[in-house]
Amino acid sequence: MATRTLRDHFEVKKAQPRSPRKSQQQQQQTSTSSRGSSAKVAAATSSAEDVQAQAQLSALKTFDLDMRYGPCAGMTRLERWQRAKDDGLNPPAELPAIITSHSDDVQFTESLWFGRI
């Protein structure tokens, strides 16, 4: 009796080449090209603000994860920054301006661990 393998039960087919799909970015470009010029200007302004906000949040996250400035649980970022400054730890100088410019947004004022621990 001959030994049979799993391949013996199924027909082997060569894979068909896939057709190229439009990427999401290409689809967005085609959909935004139909908008008016004022919408493009507003989107570009909004996009620039989003990029700046993401860069600022990244700097704040880096500060939260840096243990040189002490623990961050139970205090705001500004309180932690002030404590680090008072202790002579030289925290990044641009952080208070970022935090105070977004004083109504919890993402900017509270630490990365706010509400998690």
Side-chain angles (χ1 to χ4, degrees):
M1 185 171 193
T3 305
R4 297 187 65 171
T5 64
L6 188 60
R7 290 183 183 182
D8 295 335
H9 296 283
F10 298 98
E11 182 181 340
V12 178
K13 293 184 178 180
K14 289 189 175 185
Q16 298 292 326
R18 293 184 179 203
S19 61
R21 292 183 174 178
K22 277 188 170 181
S23 68
Q24 288 181 345
Q25 184 179 20
Q26 289 173 337
Q27 289 174 352
Q28 289 175 351
Q29 287 176 351
T30 57
S31 68
T32 57
S33 64
S34 63
R35 295 182 188 171
S37 62
S38 62
K40 289 180 183 178
V41 171
T45 305
S46 175
S47 177
E49 290 172 357
D50 290 343
V51 168
Q52 182 182 11
Q54 289 300 322
Q56 291 173 342
L57 283 171
S58 177
L60 292 170
K61 181 180 177 182
T62 302
F63 175 68
D64 287 344
L65 295 175
D66 195 341
M67 289 294 111
R68 289 183 293 175
Y69 307 117
C72 58
M75 60 178 38
T76 65
R77 285 181 170 138
L78 197 56
E79 291 171 343
R80 183 170 181 245
W81 185 89
Q82 188 63 48
R83 182 190 63 195
K85 183 180 177 217
D86 292 343
D87 291 344
L89 300 176
N90 299 324
E94 69 274 2
L95 294 186
I98 294 171
I99 296 167
T100 55
S101 67
H102 299 280
S103 61
D104 57 335
D105 191 350
V106 176
Q107 274 188 313
F108 286 88
T109 58
E110 298 295 336
S111 74
L112 181 66
W113 309 110
F114 179 71
R116 296 182 184 179
I117 56 172

